[in-house]
Amino acid sequence: MRIGEMVRRTGVSERLLRYYEEQGLLTPDRLPSGYRVYAERDVETVRRVRTLLNAGLTTATIARVLPCVREEGERLVPVCSALVAELRRERERITRAIDDLLSSRTLLDGVIEAPRTARPGGG
């Protein structure tokens, strides 16, 4: 299928499909004219990429993960032994980021909820 059909089927923009290709996440065939031709499996690959991005993984990590997972129903299951350790490290990175965001939110809450003091100019 051509890129327009791929956009329609996946809901992902042409620009993003090209980016996934640059990152090594997709490898569509090329016609002699240079046009990209996507296979049916590429639709599923894009779905997997979107799922992994939503889980907080980077495209670099996803490029390493994609060859090492298979689907079981709605779940992605690892098939490479080293993958689980890498995913645990990614989970720890995401947890640290969440903790940092929660701390930032707490600080902002303190500023927002602080009693207003009279400021010059009535503000």
Side-chain angles (χ1 to χ4, degrees):
M1 77 189 83
R2 299 274 291 275
I3 198 165
E5 176 69 7
M6 187 68 163
V7 167
R8 189 186 69 70
R9 299 264 315 269
T10 63
V12 172
S13 70
E14 286 185 25
R15 186 174 140 272
L16 208 45
L17 291 172
R18 289 186 187 107
Y19 176 73
Y20 292 168
E21 186 178 350
E22 288 171 14
Q23 299 302 305
L25 304 175
L26 279 176
T27 53
D29 291 329
R30 294 285 187 142
L31 296 175
S33 62
Y35 288 113
R36 292 167 177 83
V37 178
Y38 295 92
E40 191 63 34
R41 70 182 180 279
D42 293 328
V43 174
E44 191 56 36
T45 297
V46 169
R47 192 188 69 69
R48 287 178 179 175
V49 167
R50 301 302 302 162
T51 297
L52 294 167
L53 284 169
N54 288 335
L57 300 183
T58 65
T59 55
T61 300
I62 293 170
R64 292 188 305 276
V65 167
L66 279 179
C68 290
V69 294
R70 66 176 161 69
E71 277 197 40
E72 280 187 6
E74 296 292 317
R75 295 178 48 201
L76 294 178
V77 178
V79 295
C80 303
S81 58
L83 178 63
V84 174
E86 182 169 358
L87 291 177
R88 283 192 176 116
R89 287 189 299 274
E90 282 297 313
R91 186 182 188 288
E92 290 168 9
R93 179 190 63 79
I94 291 167
T95 298
R96 285 190 304 274
I98 290 169
D99 290 344
D100 290 346
L101 286 169
L102 288 171
S103 293
S104 296
R105 184 177 71 183
T106 299
L107 286 170
L108 282 175
D109 287 346
V111 171
I112 291 167
E113 294 170 8
R116 291 188 169 204
T117 58
R119 289 183 233 147

